Amino acid sequence: MKWREYHESTKHSIESLAHARHGLDWENMPDPFRHYKGVPVLDLPADPPEPEMPALEVLQGGLGTTPVTDGPTFLSQLLFYSAAISATKRSPSSEYRYALRVNPSSGNLHPTEFHFVTRNLNGWPDGLYHYDPSRHMAEQRGRGDFELTLAACSAPIVLVLSSIAWREAWKYGERAYRYCLHDVGHAWQAVTLAARSLGCESFTTGHFPDNDVAQLLRLNNDEWPMLVLSLHGKSIPVRKAEACETVWFGGQANQLSKETVSHPLIDSIHAATKLSSIECSRISVGEPAPIGFGEIRLPTSASSTRSFGEAARMRRSALDFRGGMQSMSLAQLSTILAVTAQPLLADFAGTRFIQLYLYAHRVDGLQPGVYRFWQDRYELEQIGRGDQRVAAAGLSLGQNLAGNACIAFSMIGDLDRAVRAHGDRAYRYVHFEAGAVGQRMYLAAEALGLAATGIGAFYDDQVHYYLNLTPEQGQVVYHFAIGYPILDRRLEG
Ligand SMILES: Cc1cc2nc3c(=O)[nH]c(=O)nc-3n(C[C@H](O)[C@H](O)[C@H](O)COP(=O)(O)O)c2cc1C
């Protein structure tokens, strides 16, 4: 299967939803936490120091610092502010309590797993680890040298983000592969930005031989490697290299459900986007993004002193937004757009494939209407006039939050241009970029006293029709909304 076939087959339309399977098999719901039975478990110190640099400065490219000088606390900080549990919710009808994490996830199903390889960290044995957010601990799958040849060799910390598609497919069926990719994009930026707040640079590799990485990590076959992140910088507490015998513990991965229901389209698109080691030898930069301009120059950005640590752990998806009259300022919108335009340091992100279309409902100084954001010139071009609230909600599968927000977005992915550069693998990259843009918007909104929600459900072709997009201009891959959140009474902090 090629990407286009998968994408077309998983579009939402009135007809596709009418034929969709309804009801969830709660007895078979996948466990949101992976564990490896029988391996040593290493403690990550509780309550590590909070990264104090303002979130907006981190999002604008600033590099923070950390007072931490030991490896375990450094790792704890990195994961506590990117992947840990950060709140719980209680369902009022069933009293069922469930965990929410620093990184968002479609349906809160969390398909993304975090593995990491460490080398020469102070007070921490070299090895291969799996992060267990349920205990904020590291499962040691192997001790010694687990070199990932594709990552920068000198990196003291290399993370591998993997995805368990079944967790999402349980609820969302064949469309779930798209959400897994978005989730990885969110997690990618969650880690990258937490690392920056601690003074670490990173580089991300998407172009790697899948089977080799899966084999090196001995991933269970329900789990697929997606991104490799190398972290480096003076703030990482390192010691002198010590020779150490390599010991493999492995461990037994837990079974997530009684039964895994097969999803042939997901298996096919995943296979189509895999690379062998021969295909990985070279990565193309691709054609540059088209350049355009708009009549609205965006003002200088708004400011906020909210720390990165607080914004990352307090970030929540709004269940809905307060409709009413309260608007956001053009400076706030401008700040949010500016942080989405910051460079994404990855081998596949030399040119950008996502363009933002805005449905402005309540932004001071911006007439209600539809706008296109030209990232290079930092300008908005108005392409539609009038109240967009009903349209934005309707296009987002009738979800009111897209109409009650101050602003909603369609992220349009230039899939054809991306595929010309990277083949079918590009299907992943475009969705990673959309998730990355979304994660930056979540954190900027939080820093500015607003809230956001990612929206994976939309009527694909209706969006194209409404925005008057020709096939060459791309396809919608993600929706997003930002505004003033209503109180969520299920939240327990
Ligand atoms: C890729 C993606 C798609 C999402 N789609 C929707 C959506 O269509 N509607 C919605 O209300 N929330 C959506 N969400 C928000 C999730 O439901 C939310 O992230 C999850 O419940 C966890 O809550 P948290 O973000 O507060 O941690 C989406 C989130 C992501 C990352």
Side-chain angles (χ1 to χ4, degrees), residues 309-459:
E310 196 186 323
R313 290 197 54 89
M314 296 300 287
R315 180 213 62 80
R316 288 274 67 86
S317 294
L319 192 61
D320 198 353
F321 296 95
R322 300 203 299 263
M325 302 297 288
Q326 199 177 5
S327 41
M328 67 189 284
S329 68
L330 190 54
Q332 285 176 319
L333 174 62
S334 165
T335 306
I336 292 167
L337 292 173
V339 306
T340 67
Q342 284 285 322
L344 298 172
L345 301 173
D347 60 351
F348 56 89
T351 54
R352 301 288 284 266
F353 299 112
I354 296 290
Q355 184 167 30
L356 293 174
Y357 283 62
L358 292 68
Y359 306 83
H361 305 321
R362 292 188 316 284
V363 181
D364 287 337
L366 204 59
Q367 286 176 352
V370 184
Y371 297 83
R372 182 163 36 207
F373 176 48
W374 291 104
Q375 183 177 303
D376 282 344
R377 296 179 61 107
Y378 203 46
E379 289 172 354
L380 289 178
E381 174 194 3
Q382 186 163 21
I383 56 169
R385 291 182 192 285
D387 191 338
Q388 303 297 320
R389 289 175 295 181
V390 172
L395 293 171
S396 306
L397 233 68
Q399 299 185 79
N400 288 337
L401 78 174
N404 289 331
C406 294
I407 185 115
F409 298 85
S410 286
M411 295 192 202
I412 304 302
D414 195 341
L415 286 156
D416 284 304
R417 182 165 56 88
V419 170
R420 281 198 295 279
H422 304 302
D424 282 352
R425 182 71 153 201
Y427 195 70
R428 297 188 190 179
Y429 299 158
V430 172
H431 288 81
F432 293 157
E433 186 183 325
V437 166
Q439 186 64 14
R440 290 179 155 264
M441 291 216 234
Y442 262 121
L443 290 173
E446 188 68 41
L448 292 167
L450 299 157
T453 303
I455 302 176
F458 41 79
Y459 290 116

Side-chain angles (χ1 to χ4, degrees), residues 86-87 89 98-110 168 171-172 178-183 186 314-320 396-397 399 401 435 439 442 452-458 478-480 488 490-491:
S86 54
K89 277 190 184 175
Y98 54 96
L100 300 166
R101 307 191 200 176
V102 175
N103 56 314
S105 168
S106 180
N108 198 36
L109 295 164
H110 288 284
E168 284 288 318
K171 181 167 182 188
Y172 297 112
R178 300 187 188 198
Y179 301 160
C180 290
L181 301 179
H182 292 132
D183 272 36
H186 281 279
M314 296 300 287
R315 180 213 62 80
R316 288 274 67 86
S317 294
L319 192 61
D320 198 353
S396 306
L397 233 68
Q399 299 185 79
L401 78 174
Q439 186 64 14
Y442 262 121
T453 303
I455 302 176
F458 41 79
Y478 199 16
H479 270 194
F480 218 80
D488 188 345
R490 301 169 305 171
L491 205 55

Side-chain angles (χ1 to χ4, degrees), residues 181-352:
L181 301 179
H182 292 132
D183 272 36
V184 170
H186 281 279
W188 165 34
Q189 287 303 294
V191 174
T192 301
L193 291 165
R196 285 202 78 78
S197 78
L198 301 174
C200 280
E201 308 266 5
S202 65
F203 189 77
T204 296
T205 307
H207 219 69
F208 57 79
D210 295 66
N211 289 349
D212 296 5
V213 175
Q215 169 60 28
L216 186 100
L217 269 57
R218 301 202 206 167
L219 294 179
N220 210 43
N221 54 14
D222 61 1
E223 201 179 326
W224 302 329
M226 290 288 178
L227 284 179
V228 180
L229 284 64
S230 316
L231 267 47
H232 49 92
K234 284 206 227 50
S235 65
I236 302 179
V238 286
R239 55 170 159 75
K240 278 212 190 98
E242 289 160 14
C244 154
E245 191 197 346
T246 301
V247 185
W248 177 249
F249 304 115
Q252 177 71 41
N254 60 333
Q255 191 181 332
L256 303 177
S257 298
K258 278 189 298 193
E259 182 201 358
T260 303
V261 178
S262 80
H263 288 84
L265 293 185
I266 292 182
D267 291 340
S268 307
I269 180 70
H270 186 64
T273 60
K274 281 172 79 168
L275 294 176
S276 66
S277 30
I278 296 162
E279 290 163 312
C280 283
S281 54
R282 203 169 56 85
I283 179 159
S284 127
V285 180
E287 307 146 42
I291 294 179
F293 58 90
E295 60 285 5
I296 301 162
R297 282 221 129 239
L298 288 162
T300 12
S301 298
S303 64
S304 148
T305 54
R306 199 162 192 206
S307 75
F308 178 82
E310 196 186 323
R313 290 197 54 89
M314 296 300 287
R315 180 213 62 80
R316 288 274 67 86
S317 294
L319 192 61
D320 198 353
F321 296 95
R322 300 203 299 263
M325 302 297 288
Q326 199 177 5
S327 41
M328 67 189 284
S329 68
L330 190 54
Q332 285 176 319
L333 174 62
S334 165
T335 306
I336 292 167
L337 292 173
V339 306
T340 67
Q342 284 285 322
L344 298 172
L345 301 173
D347 60 351
F348 56 89
T351 54
R352 301 288 284 266

